[in-house]
Amino acid sequence: LFLMRFFFQVLIPLALCTSIESKNVHDEKELAFQPMQLTDGSIFNAYVRPDVSTFYENTNNIRKQRKVKEVKPRYLSQVGKYCNLTPYDDEIVVDNSMKATVKAFECARLTINPGERVCFSRGKCKKTFSVMPGKSNYEYDCNESYAEIKDLDDEEIGCRGLPNMSRIMGPNILKTYFTLKKSVDFAGRYRRMTGIDYLSRYPRSKPIHNMWRADFFGQQHTVETKENHFVSLPTESELEIVAAEGTETRLSETYLPPLQGHRSPESTMTMTLSVLSCAPRVFEVENFLSDVEVDYIMKVGQEVITDNAKTENFDGTDVESKINREHSPIIDTVYRRAADLLRIDEALLRNRHEHEYPDLGSKRSIAEGLDIVHHNVGDGDMKASHEFDFPDTMDEYQPTRFVTLAIYLNEDMEGGETSFPTWINAESSDDLRITPKKGKVVFFYSLLPDGNMDGLAQHASLPVTEGEKWVIYLRVWDPIFER
């Protein structure tokens, strides 16, 4: 029922998007879904990552293509998912150092390294693991085999059997336990079939939004949009705040973006997406912003950062601040253009009226405010991180970040590259590094086509060694935005 609602309320309305044309090669080959029969008799279509040889599909040497083998990355850190199937909050201790707290019947995310010793602790270690390469899922369930758990105390009465847990904490606690237990068991079957861990909480629906194909390096898609570039700066009076609920500019066939006198004379603008990585899915688009738009956003960003620094007593380095879509027509255009680029209805990227997507479950925008980030020399991080996080076990929507756009505002610096250290390829064990270029956007997905979170989608903004770096981030959630 949930998927049917979104077919009629999300996919069909895409016909009303600003974008008027999209050319791609979606039909060249089918996605690698493999049916997986579950214990209840249902079928789950698991996404199986294609062999690395297919990422070089455009090679002329077929014999050479068949010899292509995956090169293991030099970067070893990986995402770790730690699930606590006990009725008590635990601490996650890594090599004798406390790193996180994981609540009862919830999961916590950590970046871990193979060989590290990790334990679930409540004053003392209850269960210890040695991190294995390529394995992300670890869980502590004292109800499953508490004969292996030493030194049980009175606090552990909930771990002496599910009847005790239900009697002491109520029947709802069993529902939460079995929901997480079902997900953990599913993750084991998923790994045996696909070779990778299932990081989402099962069951989770597939992403409801479009996902661009990344079948081979250099693959291209094009999108034509009416949200053409600003080539001159509007007056201050013209740059007034945009209504937070923009139904008065609801898109139609006759829709024209505002302030046409300040835009390029062409009625449409073509955006070309180029595949930089197939796993994770990473794309770039040149000239996403015009120079006028970049300069304006830089000015707004500097003002926002300065205001925040005054109120927060910040030192002005490595600063991050939010710019909302309603700030001005130029910022609104960035969101609308991004919606066209992603093939998502722009109405989902703003707060909506009651009659817009009434069954979505939220009237809130699925997009966060623009994060404008300023890096000085030394700012940045060699350590990669993930954009997704683990929602509460009983959250029916299982919302998380779906896609992240990094839009560069300058290029006159050394260092500051965007790094994807665990991308799959057959040529180098080094990270994929993308050099900032003014107006360019790089975007990547944090989910896989079957709804699993992509453990390969870890990225870093490398330290700036000379000059400074300005970038804005736009993050879009699936299916709704909750935080």
Side-chain angles (χ1 to χ4, degrees), residues 32-34 36 38 44-49 137 183-200 202 448-454:
F33 286 109
Q34 186 169 342
M36 184 171 74
L38 306 182
F44 178 86
N45 289 316
Y47 176 73
V48 180
R49 185 178 294 123
N137 287 340
S183 179
V184 168
D185 292 344
F186 171 85
R189 296 174 61 87
Y190 185 94
R191 179 179 175 84
R192 288 191 292 272
M193 171 171 283
T194 66
I196 62 175
D197 280 315
Y198 192 80
L199 299 173
S200 296
Y202 176 82
L448 294 172
D450 62 3
N452 189 14
M453 297 172 180
D454 190 351

Side-chain angles (χ1 to χ4, degrees), residues 13 113 220 238 291 300 323 340 345 363 373 400 433 453:
N113 297 294
Q220 291 189 333
E238 290 174 318
D291 287 346
V300 173
I323 305 174
D340 287 349
D345 185 356
K363 296 302 175 186
V373 181
T400 192
R433 294 192 178 190
M453 297 172 180

Side-chain angles (χ1 to χ4, degrees), residues 276-398:
L276 301 180
S277 170
C278 303
R281 296 186 184 204
V282 183
F283 305 80
E284 71 173 2
V285 179
E286 301 279 355
N287 301 313
F288 180 74
L289 297 181
S290 69
D291 287 346
V292 168
E293 292 163 348
V294 167
D295 294 341
Y296 171 77
I297 294 171
M298 285 273 284
K299 179 177 180 295
V300 173
Q302 288 169 348
E303 293 171 352
V304 171
I305 287 175
T306 299
D307 291 342
N308 286 357
K310 290 178 180 178
T311 58
E312 300 176 9
N313 195 29
F314 218 89
D315 64 5
T317 61
D318 200 10
V319 179
E320 181 175 328
S321 298
K322 297 281 189 181
I323 305 174
N324 292 324
R325 173 175 175 173
E326 299 78 30
H327 186 90
S328 74
I330 292 181
I331 302 299
D332 181 65
T333 293
V334 173
Y335 277 82
R336 290 177 180 271
R337 194 179 297 154
D340 287 349
L341 176 66
L342 299 173
R343 303 295 292 156
I344 295 176
D345 185 356
E346 65 82 25
L348 293 172
L349 273 60
R350 56 171 167 78
N351 296 332
R352 295 172 296 281
H353 286 292
E354 291 297 322
H355 64 276
E356 296 181 289
Y357 298 95
D359 296 323
L360 184 58
S362 173
K363 296 302 175 186
R364 186 179 181 183
S365 170
I366 64 169
E368 301 179 33
L370 290 179
D371 276 339
I372 182 161
V373 181
H374 177 218
H375 290 315
N376 282 315
V377 172
D379 295 333
D381 200 344
M382 296 296 294
K383 187 176 182 179
S385 61
H386 293 81
E387 291 287 327
F388 60 75
D389 213 339
F390 304 132
D392 292 344
T393 297
M394 298 307 290
D395 190 317
E396 63 174 316
Y397 294 105
Q398 291 298 292

Side-chain angles (χ1 to χ4, degrees), residues 434-452:
I434 304 168
T435 301
K437 184 177 180 181
K438 185 177 180 179
K440 180 169 77 172
V441 62
V442 168
F443 70 94
F444 62 94
Y445 294 101
S446 292
L447 292 179
L448 294 172
D450 62 3
N452 189 14

Side-chain angles (χ1 to χ4, degrees), residues 375 380-382 408 413-420 431-436 459-465 469 473:
H375 290 315
D381 200 344
M382 296 296 294
Y408 304 117
M413 87 288 293
E414 296 293 333
E417 299 94 341
T418 301
S419 167
F420 293 89
D431 57 340
L432 170 65
R433 294 192 178 190
I434 304 168
T435 301
H459 65 103
S461 181
L462 299 182
V464 175
T465 58
K469 175 183 176 182
Y473 294 97

